[in-house]
Amino acid sequence: MTLTPPTGAGAGAGVSAAAAEVRDVVREARAGERAIRIVGGGTWLDAGRPVRADARLELKALAGIVEYVPGDLTLTALAGTTLAELERATAAEGQWLPLDPFGSPVGTLGATVATASSGPLSLGLGVVRDVVLGVEVVTGRGEVVRAGGRVVKNVAGFDLARLMIGAWGTLGAITEVTVRLRARPDVDRTVAIAIREGAAGVEGLLQAVRTAPIAPAALQLVSREMARHIGAEANGSAVMLIRLCGNEEAVGSQRGVVAGLGDAIDVGQDVWRALRAVEPADAAVVRASAEAGRLGEIWHAATGAGGVLAHAWVGTGTVRLMESAQQAARLAELIGRMPRVNVIGERLPGELWSRIAPSMVDDRLSRGVREAFDPDRILNPGILGEANR
């Protein structure tokens, strides 16, 4: 069953038309004791734990830019607006929203915020919580809540916006988002450095980069197999991708520093688009995370045997691993080689969730927050684990 908000619902004082439409649908579902699966673009519905729902709340039609003030570098859009549409609109003003989450560019802004999805640019340009200024949501109680504002200076009140970021729709259905933009750099250049085989090769390059006088916008380790898939090969080895953004003088100076770190070659910007879309449609995907200083150790454990598609955020200690659904059990083997890591599941067959990535939200605080916003557990029940019952 699909629940689609009707067009033209009465909003009421202080409530947008989009929120009013969703509010009425949620209230009806709550009254009928029906659980809802919130759907944006529908491109990532196999992400997160299996959802136990009776109906789908489709938000894709709630799309469009509500307000864009280039001079303030702020933009407000309905949740169903695609990232591709935002890119087109902001590019015309020499600006961008540099979240670059993995997956399709037809993914929606609401889903990006709800899942806290950001990509390689999060190193230098910030994660979702750094760019979201405000949100409008409809809670599981059928109440419309606005958090934050449409101006950069708005810092008053409790920061409910951050509470909604990464909640995967379990606290409310996001209907509108205000974000902070950035000016596009004059120069955007990417360099690939070949990584010598073995743990020592990885550790040596990581140490050199950490102490180098550079400020990369993105810095990623990419396995040999991944490098082949995205067109970033350097001597047939794993590589480190370094993205430099800024004016000509700054980027040129940093490129000279990078040249001294190892066997460096310039690669096209298409590698980042390819990295976003590299995972197969039926892929199993997990992230293993530990202290940033242990990244070399974790990386070697994940890729030392070869054959795996993997990339990692330098500076955060997080490695992202993917396999086909048929080979998903291999991810459990790889995780088993990494002592003392936190495992975050993105996409897994149902039977592997408890084995690879047990729920980490079945605690008193998480249950209390859920009780406040969705006491009947009608929004995306199960997507974050058993606390969503």
Side-chain angles (χ1 to χ4, degrees):
M1 179 180 180
T2 299
L3 306 175
T4 303
T7 302
V15 177
S16 73
E21 294 168 358
V22 175
R23 176 198 60 196
D24 293 345
V25 170
V26 171
R27 286 179 177 177
E28 181 181 350
R30 189 185 185 198
E33 298 182 343
R34 289 180 298 182
I36 298 173
R37 173 60 155 119
I38 302 171
V39 180
T43 61
W44 214 34
L45 291 182
D46 59 344
R49 291 167 176 78
V51 175
R52 304 179 296 275
D54 306 304
R56 287 163 49 127
L57 173 57
E58 302 274 5
L59 299 181
K60 187 175 182 180
L62 300 181
I65 294 174
V66 176
E67 183 179 49
Y68 179 19
V69 186
D72 290 341
L73 289 170
T74 60
L75 180 148
T76 300
L78 295 178
T81 310
T82 66
L83 298 176
E85 182 179 347
L86 295 180
E87 183 174 7
R88 287 192 297 271
T90 57
E93 298 291 340
Q95 298 175 355
W96 63 342
L97 177 65
L99 291 177
D100 68 338
F102 299 101
S104 169
V106 299
T108 64
L109 177 61
T112 300
V113 173
T115 59
S117 297
S118 53
L121 285 169
S122 60
L123 172 72
L125 301 181
V127 295
V128 177
R129 66 174 178 270
D130 298 318
V131 304
V132 171
L133 297 173
V135 296
E136 178 188 74
V137 302
V138 177
T139 71
R141 294 178 179 271
E143 300 170 342
V144 180
V145 175
R146 278 190 173 274
R150 294 184 180 179
V151 294
V152 176
K153 293 181 181 179
N154 189 331
V155 295
F158 186 66
D159 197 349
L160 289 177
R162 292 198 177 195
L163 187 62
M164 299 298 165
I165 297 169
W168 284 72
T170 59
L171 304 179
I174 296 174
T175 54
E176 185 181 284
V177 181
T178 299
V179 293
R180 183 202 319 266
L181 305 173
R182 283 182 176 265
R184 287 181 177 269
D186 296 333
V187 180
D188 188 346
R189 192 172 181 181
T190 297
V191 183
I193 300 180
I195 302 174
R196 290 187 289 108
E197 294 290 338
V202 177
E203 290 287 3
L205 183 55
L206 287 173
Q207 181 60 28
V209 168
R210 289 180 184 126
T211 58
I214 59 175
L219 200 56
Q220 290 269 306
L221 294 179
V222 177
S223 69
R224 180 173 57 249
E225 292 75 18
M226 181 75 83
R228 271 201 306 268
H229 274 73
I230 67 175
E233 288 184 276
N235 299 328
S237 67
V239 300
M240 179 182 287
L241 293 177
I242 303 176
R243 188 169 182 175
L244 305 172
C245 296
N247 59 40
E248 189 70 49
E249 181 180 0
V251 172
S253 175
Q254 293 180 78
R255 176 62 177 87
V257 173
V258 170
L261 299 179
D263 186 6
I265 60 171
D266 291 306
V267 295
Q269 296 304 96
D270 285 346
V271 298
W272 299 108
R273 284 187 286 272
L275 184 60
R276 287 181 64 182
V278 70
E279 61 193 78
D282 64 343
V285 186
V286 297
R287 301 187 188 201
S289 180
E291 300 88 347
R294 295 182 56 213
L295 178 58
E297 169 196 344
I298 300 170
W299 178 257
H300 184 64
T303 65
V308 65
L309 291 176
H311 62 102
W313 284 255
V314 177
T316 67
T318 301
V319 179
R320 188 168 180 256
L321 306 163
M322 59 192 71
E323 276 283 6
S324 67
Q326 294 74 22
Q327 298 295 322
R330 185 170 180 236
L331 292 178
E333 298 175 12
L334 293 173
I335 295 297
R337 300 174 189 169
M338 307 176 196
R340 307 186 315 281
V341 297
N342 294 318
V343 181
I344 303 168
E346 287 188 23
R347 299 165 62 191
L348 286 171
E351 68 276 7
L352 284 182
W353 277 104
S354 59
R355 179 181 173 189
I356 295 180
S359 172
M360 293 187 292
V361 295
D362 199 10
D363 60 275
R364 181 178 179 182
L365 177 59
S366 297
R367 290 194 299 270
V369 171
R370 188 74 192 271
E371 183 69 24
F373 288 90
D374 184 19
D376 300 319
R377 308 297 196 269
I378 68 168
L379 300 179
N380 285 354
I383 199 168
L384 289 179
E386 292 308 302
N388 292 282
R389 288 175 295 186

